[in-house]
Amino acid sequence: MSRAPHRRFTWHLFLASLFLIALTARATTLVRLRFPDLVHYASAIARVRCVGADIRVENGEIFTDTRFHVLETEKGRLPAQIVVRQPGGTYQHMHSHVEGAPEFRIGEEVYLFLWGRPGRQFFVLGWSQGTFRLHRDALSGKETVTQDSAEIPVFDPEAKAFTKMGVKNLRLDIFQERVRREVLRALP
Amino acid sequence: MRETRRKLGAIGVAALFALWSVVAAHSYALNEIVPDVRQPANLSGGSACPVHTHQLTGTGSLSFRWSTILGSNPKAILTQDQTPAGSLNEIEQVIQQSLSVWTNVSGTSLTPASLSPLARISSANACGTDGINSICFDQPDMAFTPGVLAFTRVVTADTIGIQLGSGPASTEVGQILDADVYFNPSDSLTSFATPLALSANPKSYDLESILIHELGHTLGFSHSAIWSAMMFPFAPAPGTFTGQRPTTQQPDAPLADDDRTGLRVLYHDPNDTLYVGSIQGHIIPANPISLPSAPPGVTGVFGAHVVALDAPSGAVIAGTMGGWSCTAPGPVQFDGNYEIDQLPLGRSYKIYAEPLDGAVAPSEVSNALVSLCRNSMTDPGWPPLQGCVVPPVNTAFTTRTRPSP
């Protein structure tokens, strides 16, 4: 490619980028839950480690019950092990799938904002919005937290505006402080 | 015979573009399923290469029904016609029109004749794993937590001969046995409006846009990362709709080219002679040390978005999630390969690749990626030679192109 068309292409891409950025007025099929909303609605918030999963069939529907060891609880009271139910899973030769439902790997550590009651299965509040993945830097050992829905422009019906307020690569200690501050604020 | 056109423009600015365009184009993704090769080859096909999940498209083979049970307190579906019968007719018209959007894409085997007449059911719990595709507006589901508007549950067969409820047994691997669309009836703050009622109810979500999107899932689509695509993961804002409204002249007007291309890949029309172009290549790291050490055998960048732009206009035509290839009997090889198929002939394209670190995160298209492999850990007794492990998505690369010889 000669230099002139190359420059023209660059300029077109730049203009296209600006146009697209200006069009961030899009919403998700999920209603945005602000971080304080997530803390408020959550029955429990905990750092957990995925230890396994079981497929269940109830009323003809296929679910995946993922088992987690509770490592640290930030809100609510949880037993040492909890079960989080997700729609979908593989049963015999049938693969049931719901797009957008979070999936977990054995051994993975996450912070989950849970919806439900102890003694029964929990659900992840707002699916991708209530799932916060932990990443540990191999060199420094420092941990960061990234929300599955991070960087997703979502619509706030109250503010009538679109924002990208997801948590992305946030230092763990700062994330924990935010959670604890909101938990305290939500106390009566 | 498929004609292949490779008109790759130089894209040295791709990395720069990726930095600028955090909400920019990505690509459609299709749900994949690995056939169960533990079954005899006449049932599974004998190959562990993923196949697209899909519906049958023979005359009248695709059927849907919808539940006329609607939430009333508060009202979940708002219509212009307030009479009970008129309201149902208005909703049904939206469903018909939404289905027509997908069946009127040229160059596919999914045609209006594929659809059997839309049926009504007055049952409150019409959606379930029963072999019947259903749309439900007032059926509670445990998966509805605060913040979830609608979802689609799709059940697919990984071998031939699987029957679900009263549905017919699968005759193809990857056949969708049941697909149900659920709208959240339990959120008192959320309502959906038909196109006729939307302007009068600007706080409601456009029923048609959300339904077209969900119906895309029932046809085998995962989420697209193309900003303008119907399969982009996010619905339009309350009071607005995606793309253009369908018209008699252009029934598929709400779709973007990316949606249309995805549909042509999913439901390829063997008689089509226009949308048969293909672009193929590899994304490989300059430094092989940057490849992941585990799982073994990864030789290219995995999980890159590779997008084809119409060269003169810059419009996004289609894209794909690159990084793998598969040749029977499988399994998938993570060699950085990408292939964009069903492109219209006679046009020039520019190609760029970018990491999945923008508006759509890897988690949003995870199924299209994690479902590429099965192994003895996921499926006991899986033949080792046909097993593989999906590597992590590479989101930390920049791109330069090396034009084809």
Side-chain angles (χ1 to χ4, degrees), chain B residues 86-168:
Chain B
S87 178
L88 293 182
N89 288 339
E90 193 173 316
I91 293 168
E92 187 162 272
Q93 193 178 10
V94 174
I95 299 172
Q96 295 272 24
Q97 197 141 293
S98 301
L99 287 165
S100 294
V101 166
W102 289 109
T103 58
N104 277 280
V105 176
S106 62
T108 79
S109 60
L110 184 72
T111 68
S114 305
L115 281 174
S116 64
L118 180 63
R120 292 185 182 185
I121 184 170
S122 57
S123 165
N125 293 303
C127 283
T129 309
D130 53 10
I132 304 170
N133 302 322
S134 305
I135 300 165
C136 298
F137 299 105
D138 193 35
Q139 183 167 330
D141 191 281
M142 290 184 290
F144 282 124
T145 74
V148 179
L149 285 183
F151 66 85
T152 299
R153 193 193 307 262
V154 179
V155 181
T156 309
D158 68 0
T159 186
I160 289 170
I162 305 302
Q163 188 171 15
L164 193 55
S166 58

Side-chain angles (χ1 to χ4, degrees), chain A residues 95-110:
Chain A
H95 295 246
S96 174
H97 173 66
V98 176
E99 199 66 37
E103 295 175 5
F104 305 99
R105 299 189 312 272
I106 291 176
E108 182 180 22
E109 289 188 17
V110 291

Side-chain angles (χ1 to χ4, degrees), chain B residues 167-185:
Chain B
S170 59
T171 56
E172 298 175 6
V173 178
Q175 184 177 326
I176 292 173
L177 301 170
D178 185 46
D180 294 336
V181 178
Y182 295 70
F183 283 78
N184 189 350

Side-chain angles (χ1 to χ4, degrees), chain B residues 358-400:
Chain B
V360 175
S363 59
E364 288 294 312
V365 290
S366 59
N367 182 258
L369 301 176
V370 300
S371 58
L372 297 174
C373 286
R374 295 171 77 172
N375 52 56
S376 59
M377 293 293 287
T378 61
D379 297 86
W382 193 264
L385 292 177
Q386 287 173 286
C388 61
V389 175
V390 179
V393 170
N394 188 332
T395 60
F397 67 91
T398 55
T399 51
R400 292 176 187 276

Side-chain angles (χ1 to χ4, degrees), chain B residues 86-347:
Chain B
S87 178
L88 293 182
N89 288 339
E90 193 173 316
I91 293 168
E92 187 162 272
Q93 193 178 10
V94 174
I95 299 172
Q96 295 272 24
Q97 197 141 293
S98 301
L99 287 165
S100 294
V101 166
W102 289 109
T103 58
N104 277 280
V105 176
S106 62
T108 79
S109 60
L110 184 72
T111 68
S114 305
L115 281 174
S116 64
L118 180 63
R120 292 185 182 185
I121 184 170
S122 57
S123 165
N125 293 303
C127 283
T129 309
D130 53 10
I132 304 170
N133 302 322
S134 305
I135 300 165
C136 298
F137 299 105
D138 193 35
Q139 183 167 330
D141 191 281
M142 290 184 290
F144 282 124
T145 74
V148 179
L149 285 183
F151 66 85
T152 299
R153 193 193 307 262
V154 179
V155 181
T156 309
D158 68 0
T159 186
I160 289 170
I162 305 302
Q163 188 171 15
L164 193 55
S166 58
S170 59
T171 56
E172 298 175 6
V173 178
Q175 184 177 326
I176 292 173
L177 301 170
D178 185 46
D180 294 336
V181 178
Y182 295 70
F183 283 78
N184 189 350
S186 56
D187 187 344
S188 60
L189 297 174
T190 301
S191 62
F192 305 91
T194 64
L196 290 175
L198 190 65
S199 58
N201 298 280
K203 290 185 177 176
S204 298
Y205 289 91
D206 180 47
L207 176 64
E208 188 171 71
S209 296
I210 293 175
L211 190 52
I212 296 170
H213 176 96
E214 297 300 332
L215 288 174
H217 290 312
T218 71
L219 295 173
F221 274 93
S222 180
H223 280 142
S224 168
I226 297 289
W227 177 259
S228 57
M230 182 56 73
M231 296 315 295
F232 192 68
F234 314 115
T240 67
F241 54 92
T242 304
Q244 301 169 7
R245 291 292 190 199
T247 63
T248 309
Q249 292 75 27
Q250 198 184 356
D252 67 343
L255 302 181
D257 278 337
D258 179 66
D259 301 309
R260 296 186 184 100
T261 306
L263 198 71
R264 289 177 187 121
V265 172
L266 253 177
Y267 299 101
H268 175 61
D269 177 2
N271 299 317
D272 179 51
T273 55
L274 176 60
Y275 300 100
V276 292
S278 180
I279 296 173
Q280 190 177 20
H282 286 81
I283 305 173
I284 51 176
N287 183 356
I289 294 176
S290 65
L291 292 169
S293 55
V298 179
T299 57
V301 172
F302 175 64
H305 265 140
V306 187
V307 180
L309 303 176
D310 178 61
S313 68
V316 175
I317 303 301
T320 192
M321 219 73 72
W324 61 277
S325 65
C326 194
T327 305
V332 162
Q333 302 297 310
F334 295 97
D335 54 5
N337 180 73
Y338 68 86
E339 185 172 337
I340 306 175
D341 293 327
Q342 265 65 57
L343 293 170
L345 296 180
R347 294 163 77 163

Side-chain angles (χ1 to χ4, degrees), chain A residues 1 6 9-10 13-14 17 20-21 23-24 26-31 33 41 60-63 85 87-88 92-99 103 115 123-129 148 151-153 155 157 162 164 168, chain B residues 10-11 13 17 20-21 23-24 31 33 36 39 128-129 142-143 145-149 151-159 162 164 182 205 217 222-223 227 233-235 237-238 350 357-359 363-364 367 370 374:
Chain A
M1 183 186 271
H6 192 163
F9 182 45
T10 307
L13 290 176
F14 176 63
S17 304
L20 288 166
I21 289 166
L23 277 179
T24 52
R26 293 292 294 263
T28 169
T29 47
L30 305 175
V31 174
L33 297 174
Y41 283 125
E61 299 291 356
I62 303 171
F63 296 95
R85 175 161 285 192
Q92 296 178 345
H93 291 289
M94 292 175 287
H95 295 246
S96 174
H97 173 66
V98 176
E99 199 66 37
E103 295 175 5
W115 170 256
F123 289 84
V124 180
L125 178 65
W127 297 16
S128 59
Q129 299 183 85
D148 267 11
E151 299 243 10
I152 296 174
F155 185 72
F162 294 83
K164 292 193 295 179
K168 187 171 185 183
Chain B
I11 52 167
V13 295
F17 179 63
W20 278 333
S21 58
V23 292
N31 280 324
I33 192 168
D36 188 348
Q39 301 299 308
T129 309
M142 290 184 290
T145 74
V148 179
L149 285 183
F151 66 85
T152 299
R153 193 193 307 262
V154 179
V155 181
T156 309
D158 68 0
T159 186
I162 305 302
L164 193 55
Y182 295 70
Y205 289 91
H217 290 312
S222 180
H223 280 142
W227 177 259
F234 314 115
K350 291 185 191 299
D357 63 351
S363 59
E364 288 294 312
N367 182 258
V370 300
R374 295 171 77 172

